[in-house]
Amino acid sequence: MAAKKSPKPRPEEFRSEALAQALEKQDVAAVALALRHGNTVVPLLRAGVRDNPLDGGEVWTFRDPNTGDVALLLFSDAKNKPTNLPPGVGIYSPEWLRQFLTQHGETITTVFLDIAGPHPMQASPDDLLKALG
């Protein structure tokens, strides 16, 4: 008998309600709490291999062609990701975000949350690491 494949996540699963509400209120403390205790939607350049739980894919970052600055984009909902970004998304834990920012914090100059709205915010990697505790 063939092993069952895990079902694909539904689009509504690529959402953090707590983060969406915190961004709507522009409440920095609530954003920190949502990031510390919930998942975050991240654009992917390459999705992970479905049958390999160790392959989380390749995160897409934006490099400003004029300055060379690198930005990480995070979203409260996959629906808020602009269509001009790569089509793939992943949903990642607070621990993943902490590790990613720790590993790439010297390269990433800023982090945008829901950059295209409806309620965008911006923070430095250091500020997010402090928020993640």
Side-chain angles (χ1 to χ4, degrees), residues 45-98:
L45 188 58
R46 178 191 61 80
V49 176
R50 186 173 178 174
D51 293 331
N52 181 357
L54 300 177
D55 184 358
E58 184 179 348
V59 173
W60 181 86
T61 56
F62 173 77
R63 181 178 301 274
D64 184 313
N66 298 319
T67 64
D69 290 347
V70 176
L72 174 64
L73 279 56
L74 304 176
F75 298 94
S76 62
D77 191 319
K79 294 175 188 172
N80 295 341
K81 182 183 73 61
T83 56
N84 62 335
L85 298 185
V89 295
I91 189 155
Y92 292 98
S93 70
E95 183 56 36
W96 174 89
L97 182 56
R98 186 179 299 108

Side-chain angles (χ1 to χ4, degrees), residues 2-33:
K4 276 188 168 180
K5 290 186 178 180
S6 59
K8 278 188 170 181
R10 296 181 305 237
E12 62 270 15
E13 292 174 350
F14 287 98
R15 176 171 174 76
S16 168
E17 185 62 33
L19 183 56
Q21 289 178 8
L23 289 170
E24 182 177 356
K25 295 175 186 173
Q26 294 290 288
D27 183 335
V28 174
V31 168
L33 192 65

